[in-house]
Amino acid sequence: MRTYGILALAASLATASAQALQGFNYGSVFTNNAPITGGDYERLFNTAKQLAGTSGAFTSARLFTTIQAGTPNAPTEAIAAADATQTKLLLGIFLSSTEEQFQNELTALRSAITQYGQRLVDLVVGISVGSEDLYRISPTGILNRSNPGEGPDAVVRRINAVRQALAGTILSGAPIGHVDTWTAYVNSSNAAVISACDFIGVDAYPYFQNTQANGIENGESLFFAAYDATVAVSQGKPVWITETGWPVSGPTENQAVPSTENAEIYWDSVGCRAFGQINTFWYILQDAFPNAPSPSFGVVGSTLSTTPLYDLTCPSDSESSSSSAEGSSPSSPVAPPAGTSDTLPDRETSTTPAPESPGSPGSNSGSPGSNDGAPGSNDGAPGSNGGSPGSNNASPDSNGGSPGSNTDSSGSAPVENTVPPTVQTVMTYVTVTTCPVTYTSGAETKTSMTTSTVSVTSTHGNTLSTVATPSTPSPSSAPGACPANLNGDFEFPHLIVPVDKNQPDAALGTSFNGLITPTVSSLFNFDFPASLQGRTCSLVFLFPTRDQLQTSNYTLSGSGGFLVERLNEPADSATSFNNQPEVNVTVNTIPDVQPGNSYVVGSGGCFSNARIGYKVSATGSLDLDYFQDYNPAPIGLYVTVC
């Protein structure tokens, strides 16, 4: 008997009807880039409704573009097919392209309203503005060649443009949302996108979470950890599952093995748990016509048939009743397990845009990689690669776009300070908190933590008072500092770039790792959204012991510490040692960096609506190379907020 756990769905249940939407993703071209026509869509939609073992439940479809492939801006023929088969539609507006292409999407939408009238109202359940655009501008998205992408401001602007275009039309009441990876949503820099939406769609693919234990036996827990993390930051908006699935063929990703057997297990443990509870669009009905991509996620093979490649029968209602909508979402905005990956190669050729999935620092977060179909041409345009749910997801910059430009201000750490800089040597706190050690006593599991506070000499750009080392250790951090842990709100770096003085003109590009050696420094960009105005921020470095890590690792040799400096402007992927931004102010020096400790580098009022760059260099002979990861146990440079 199949059993299912409790879902944290309170914030994500469909509110429009008693039965949640259930459907597949559909692109606009086949794998040979031939346009999918109205007749093709009609056959696909009818096949979905008649799939053996599904009791006719798949009556909805998600589209990546509203433009018919092969035309500049004609409405997709999927609408006529949906009208003929009574299939509900989640329309897609492709964003990561030119302004002209976006206007073509709006033209197609307006034309559809004129052409279909009230019938369109009866078909459309929502409009998704964009697909993994925030993911695509992350280092992981760039690494997977899934450009172009859009920052949060651009996504919000276009969501508003769609609302304006629909104002006064019969679709003015249609819910408008955005689809992206979970790592994009848990990044607070993208909170404005969530605020602008009526619902949000999340893409997640445990198969691609290849930096952690992602065998099929962990597929369910990995997926729902990502989903619950999205719910936790959803601002009460419904969270729809817009892409997930397990491949039937393709390469092995770490412990994840593609096969029809494993695809069936994933369907049973994830799909059957979500169906009827959450609006769900599975990836994918068919992606192997005329040629199978690698990996291939299709429920049916190259021949369209109502007989699936594996058993799609879910348990009876009585067996699955434990899968209730009760439960609470995680309180932390960053819950997903480490290495939640979500990025694939690019999706440039496939019946549907390849799955787009969310990731986490250290795992991929895009989509498997098929073509969304280029409206207007068969080269992959709107809807062409959304990213790929594949190997490294959400790098230390997991995606989030930058909420604004850098507003320079003198001061220490991530603080915004209006006091004119006066260089002065002062005593300040560097709080060293040993990482939690879990032990079992009887039936209880306990966590112990010890803290010590030391004073170090540091040169800052602002005058600080001299504070003596307290005789009693602080239980959290230095006075006025936020906790040196990720239990509350925090920001992770959206870009990590190493610079090497032995290769002064070499732009080494973005990295998932922090590399700090006698010759190599790492530059970190942090985005501070406007919502942090008036709050306190602490720049912290978390350095657990190796045995506490689950999805990360590091190498350490030599001895010494860190010199941490704030830069005049943020770095970019073209930054080298010779062209790196000038130092604005020294934040602090940590004289002795040792595993098992957490360090508060500096604290103060948060920057607001700014992208700030920091440089971390080694002192002494320290040589550290670590994988930036906020999953248990977190490691690396972060900004905590309180």
Side-chain angles (χ1 to χ4, degrees), residues 474-613:
S474 165
S476 56
S477 314
C482 298
N485 59 56
L486 303 187
N487 294 336
D489 293 342
F490 70 91
E491 299 288 335
F492 50 81
H494 289 167
L495 186 72
I496 300 178
V497 175
V499 293
D500 187 349
K501 67 180 180 182
N502 288 342
Q503 305 177 70
D505 294 317
L508 303 179
T510 60
S511 175
F512 297 114
N513 286 31
L515 181 59
I516 303 160
T517 78
T519 62
V520 179
S521 300
S522 283
L523 312 184
F524 298 79
N525 285 358
F526 286 90
D527 289 328
F528 294 82
S531 59
L532 296 186
Q533 177 72 40
R535 301 183 69 183
T536 297
C537 285
S538 292
L539 187 67
V540 303
F541 186 80
L542 310 181
F543 196 16
T545 57
R546 192 174 284 106
D547 61 1
Q548 292 173 310
L549 298 172
Q550 295 182 20
T551 59
S552 184
N553 205 347
Y554 62 81
T555 59
L556 174 66
S557 62
S559 61
F562 292 159
L563 169 64
V564 183
E565 301 166 300
R566 180 160 60 82
L567 304 175
N568 274 335
E569 58 187 31
D572 59 36
S573 59
T575 299
S576 67
F577 182 86
N578 274 348
N579 68 13
Q580 65 182 304
E582 294 183 359
V583 172
N584 178 287
V585 64
T586 296
V587 177
N588 218 331
T589 299
I590 303 173
D592 184 26
V593 173
Q594 296 289 340
N597 295 304
S598 297
Y599 303 88
V600 175
V601 181
S603 296
C606 297
F607 285 108
S608 174
N609 194 36
R611 174 173 288 174
I612 304 297

Side-chain angles (χ1 to χ4, degrees), residues 27-29 33 64-65 94-97 101 105 131-133 136 145-148 243 283 345-350 352-356 367-375 377-388:
S28 61
V29 298
N33 270 344
F64 292 82
T65 175
F94 192 78
L95 285 195
S96 295
S97 188
Q101 188 61 57
E105 290 278 358
S131 181
E132 292 192 1
D133 305 274
R136 295 182 194 190
R145 303 179 306 282
S146 50
N147 278 350
E243 285 185 42
Y283 192 84
D346 253 336
R347 55 172 170 196
E348 305 215 354
T349 52
S350 179
T352 325
E356 311 184 74
S367 290
S370 66
N371 200 353
D372 289 345
S377 67
N378 294 331
D379 60 358
S384 84
N385 272 320
S388 32

Side-chain angles (χ1 to χ4, degrees), residues 25-352:
N25 286 269
Y26 298 88
S28 61
V29 298
F30 291 111
T31 55
N32 62 355
N33 270 344
I36 300 177
T37 65
D40 296 324
Y41 280 119
E42 193 166 333
R43 285 185 287 274
L44 287 165
F45 294 166
N46 278 327
T47 298
K49 295 173 72 171
Q50 298 166 19
L51 277 175
T54 64
S55 302
F58 283 84
T59 57
S60 299
R62 178 194 173 212
L63 306 178
F64 292 82
T65 175
T66 302
I67 300 175
Q68 174 59 33
T71 74
N73 52 26
T76 173
E77 294 174 13
I79 298 175
D83 188 29
T85 60
Q86 288 305 291
T87 298
K88 300 297 184 182
L89 293 176
L90 172 56
L91 292 179
I93 300 293
F94 192 78
L95 285 195
S96 295
S97 188
T98 63
E99 178 62 25
E100 179 183 4
Q101 188 61 57
F102 174 66
Q103 292 301 323
N104 283 339
E105 290 278 358
L106 295 184
T107 297
L109 183 58
R110 294 187 188 100
S111 297
I113 293 173
T114 300
Q115 181 176 347
Y116 295 98
Q118 183 59 40
R119 287 178 295 160
L120 191 62
V121 177
D122 298 335
L123 295 173
V124 174
V125 295
I127 300 172
S128 171
V129 182
S131 181
E132 292 192 1
D133 305 274
L134 301 172
Y135 154 76
R136 295 182 194 190
I137 63 168
S138 70
T140 304
I142 294 170
L143 182 66
N144 284 279
R145 303 179 306 282
S146 50
N147 278 350
E150 297 282 3
D153 292 344
V155 173
V156 170
R157 184 170 62 252
R158 287 181 166 175
I159 288 174
N160 291 336
V162 172
R163 289 192 189 279
Q164 184 176 3
L166 295 179
T169 74
I170 57 175
L171 286 185
S172 60
I176 295 177
H178 175 72
V179 171
D180 228 298
T181 65
W182 69 261
T183 48
Y185 290 126
V186 301
N187 180 349
S188 62
S189 298
N190 297 321
V193 174
I194 299 174
S195 298
C197 292
D198 299 317
F199 70 92
I200 58 175
V202 63
D203 297 350
Y205 291 88
Y207 165 73
F208 292 106
Q209 297 176 207
N210 55 14
T211 62
Q212 65 186 111
N214 67 334
I216 188 60
E217 67 277 5
N218 294 324
E220 179 182 12
S221 60
L222 290 175
F223 174 82
F224 282 104
Y227 179 82
D228 289 348
T230 305
V231 171
V233 298
S234 66
Q235 304 174 21
K237 308 293 178 68
V239 179
W240 299 9
I241 298 171
T242 41
E243 285 185 42
T244 195
W246 194 277
V248 296
S249 64
T252 296
E253 289 285 347
N254 190 25
Q255 299 172 11
V257 179
S259 68
T260 54
E261 293 81 3
N262 286 344
E264 180 177 347
I265 292 171
Y266 191 75
W267 177 279
D268 291 346
S269 60
V270 173
C272 293
R273 179 174 162 180
F275 297 151
Q277 301 291 327
I278 312 171
N279 289 343
T280 302
F281 296 88
W282 201 260
Y283 192 84
I284 184 174
L285 176 63
Q286 183 188 47
D287 64 355
F289 178 79
N291 307 304
S294 181
S296 175
F297 287 73
V299 168
V300 300
S302 58
T303 300
L304 193 62
S305 169
T306 57
T307 301
L309 297 176
Y310 50 90
D311 186 7
L312 304 183
T313 306
C314 287
S316 65
D317 291 342
S318 59
E319 288 180 294
S320 60
S321 60
S322 63
S323 178
S324 73
E326 299 174 359
S328 58
S329 305
S331 57
S332 168
V334 292
T340 314
S341 140
D342 305 317
T343 338
L344 292 185
D346 253 336
R347 55 172 170 196
E348 305 215 354
T349 52
S350 179
T351 308
T352 325

